[in-house]
Amino acid sequence: MPELPEVETTVRGLSQVLRGRRIARIEARRPNLRRPLPIDLGQRLTGANVIALRRRAKYGIIDTDRGDSLVFHLGMSGRWRIDPAQVEKHDHLLLDTDEGRRLALNDPRRFGSLDLLRTDELARWNGFEALGPEPLEITADELKQRLAGRTAPIKLLLLDQRIIAGLGNIYVCEALFRAGIDPRREGGSISLVRLKRLAGAIRDVLVEAIAVGGSTLRDFASPDGELGYFSKSFAVYGREGQLCACGGRVKRLVQGGRSTFYCPRCQR
DNA sequence: AGATATTCCTGGAGGC
DNA sequence: TGCCTCCAGGAATATC
């Protein structure tokens, strides 16, 4: 499931194929993902030159020299296939470059999205305007301020993209474990000292995941390039009942309808 | 306003 | 080539 590190890895991989290239052809193979696709996709992107690729939270952004930006979200099952040998089921968008290379946006569950916006209006787009700070940049002071007065469990607040933008279920669980914070703890009641550990833990876990994801970048160049999803052994995520490094057992609970994995002995 | 529930969708896992 | 149910995930939307 693509979270921030996977999106970052994806953007870096797409950049190798797209940056500085002209878009020769665009084909939308269905009218919608989670939302309707932009109707003027082909008209506005065909013939445009890609000048930059970036990431904001879990969104990837492709900027063109016409002042347009294609914004993609991978949802939970989305990935870009690079130079696919053939079009496959769930390839919803095809993009060909002037070099004859092809990108296919594949998303079986269609939780992802594609939007085409004016680059200078991105900050005011409703998908972006309410987003909180980037997890790689947020400070303990900012966290303290944004959590102030909030009574919901810290786990749920960290998933709220308005408070901090880009964390998903996996890395919230992992960051709270590293910071030694109980996921049920009331967000507004966590001390600055502990938030410093949390800010550091968030940064560390993401940086490590991006570094590992980066090692799969070469997959982008392979003919049937599968996007190498970050896969490593998590400390707690998906490990219910297994032993924690401390000797305790990882527990699972449900918060806001989503699974939380944590170690009751390490997290207080 | 904040908290909570529901909705979208498919494929994989596990039970029988 | 078995069928069924459940579950996973992010974010928009609805409801209290």
Side-chain angles (χ1 to χ4, degrees), chain A residues 175-213:
Chain A
L176 285 172
F177 170 77
R178 289 188 184 213
I181 297 172
D182 190 311
R184 297 166 295 187
R185 184 142 235 140
E186 207 174 86
S189 74
I190 301 174
S191 72
L192 186 58
V193 169
R194 308 196 82 207
L195 292 179
K196 280 184 178 153
R197 281 207 290 170
L198 180 57
I202 289 169
R203 188 170 320 202
D204 289 348
V205 73
L206 293 177
V207 165
E208 287 174 30
I210 290 169
V212 174

Side-chain angles (χ1 to χ4, degrees), chain A residues 44 54 63-70 116-125:
Chain A
R44 283 165 69 181
R54 354 179 228 144
D63 297 318
T64 77
D65 62 352
R66 290 180 182 167
D68 287 322
S69 292
L70 180 64
L116 189 57
L117 303 143
R118 295 300 292 169
T119 306
D120 57 8
E121 291 172 358
L122 272 184
R124 292 189 298 279
W125 178 49

Side-chain angles (χ1 to χ4, degrees), chain A residues 46-90:
Chain A
T46 305
N49 293 295
V50 174
I51 55 179
L53 288 96
R54 354 179 228 144
R55 177 191 60 74
R56 170 74 172 111
K58 284 176 272 192
Y59 293 90
I61 306 171
I62 300 170
D63 297 318
T64 77
D65 62 352
R66 290 180 182 167
D68 287 322
S69 292
L70 180 64
V71 179
F72 66 85
H73 194 295
L74 297 175
M76 89 152 269
S77 60
R79 64 195 172 109
W80 283 95
R81 306 201 304 127
I82 313 292
D83 298 328
Q86 58 196 25
V87 177
E88 286 180 7
K89 195 176 178 185
H90 307 307

Side-chain angles (χ1 to χ4, degrees), chain A residues 177 243-250 263-267:
Chain A
F177 170 77
L243 282 182
C244 173
C246 75
R249 279 198 194 277
V250 176
C263 172
R265 227 164 112 175
C266 295
Q267 297 173 253

Side-chain angles (χ1 to χ4, degrees), chain A residues 7-157:
Chain A
V7 178
E8 178 65 32
T9 301
T10 295
V11 164
R12 291 180 190 182
L14 293 180
S15 189
Q16 294 178 6
V17 176
L18 273 185
R19 200 165 67 88
R21 305 318 318 172
R22 183 170 54 81
I23 298 172
R25 184 172 175 273
I26 284 267
E27 180 186 344
R29 306 190 71 248
R30 58 171 298 123
N32 64 297
L33 293 177
R34 86 178 269 98
R35 291 192 290 275
L37 263 46
I39 45 171
D40 48 0
L41 211 56
Q43 185 190 350
R44 283 165 69 181
L45 292 180
T46 305
N49 293 295
V50 174
I51 55 179
L53 288 96
R54 354 179 228 144
R55 177 191 60 74
R56 170 74 172 111
K58 284 176 272 192
Y59 293 90
I61 306 171
I62 300 170
D63 297 318
T64 77
D65 62 352
R66 290 180 182 167
D68 287 322
S69 292
L70 180 64
V71 179
F72 66 85
H73 194 295
L74 297 175
M76 89 152 269
S77 60
R79 64 195 172 109
W80 283 95
R81 306 201 304 127
I82 313 292
D83 298 328
Q86 58 196 25
V87 177
E88 286 180 7
K89 195 176 178 185
H90 307 307
D91 283 344
H92 305 312
L93 186 86
L94 303 178
L95 187 160
D96 296 332
T97 75
D98 56 348
E99 285 186 315
R101 305 197 66 183
R102 167 167 281 187
L103 302 174
L105 178 63
N106 186 285
D107 185 3
R109 297 182 197 181
R110 306 207 300 272
F111 270 34
S113 61
L114 273 178
D115 292 280
L116 189 57
L117 303 143
R118 295 300 292 169
T119 306
D120 57 8
E121 291 172 358
L122 272 184
R124 292 189 298 279
W125 178 49
N126 57 19
F128 280 175
E129 64 175 355
L131 288 183
E134 284 288 319
L136 288 170
E137 294 164 11
I138 201 164
T139 65
D141 287 327
E142 276 180 301
L143 267 179
K144 183 80 183 161
Q145 192 180 342
R146 303 179 84 80
L147 294 173
R150 301 297 295 258
T151 59
I154 183 64
K155 158 75 189 304
L156 293 180
L157 295 173

